[in-house]
Amino acid sequence: MKVTIDTASCSGHARCAAAAAQLFRLDDDGYALPIDGEIPEELQQAAYEGESACPERAITVQ
């Protein structure tokens, strides 16, 4: 599983990090940082929660 963040669409609401702080990191301005590599099995539910929490739909879980 991979998580893609469309940084151009991210508005810095930080809801992804609020929903799944163990997976989503934010920059100093509150924008989600890209996630490299495969998501470990134990964080896959967190990935879906972060995706659902994004009002801009800037997060895609594949």
Side-chain angles (χ1 to χ4, degrees), residues 24-59:
F24 293 94
R25 297 177 303 119
L26 305 175
D27 67 13
D28 292 337
D29 295 318
Y31 292 90
L33 294 170
I35 298 173
D36 294 326
E38 293 286 324
I39 303 301
E41 187 174 333
E42 64 271 12
L43 294 179
Q44 289 181 0
Q45 183 60 39
Y48 287 118
E49 290 170 7
E51 178 185 41
S52 295
C54 181
E56 305 301 336
R57 300 294 176 239
I59 300 170

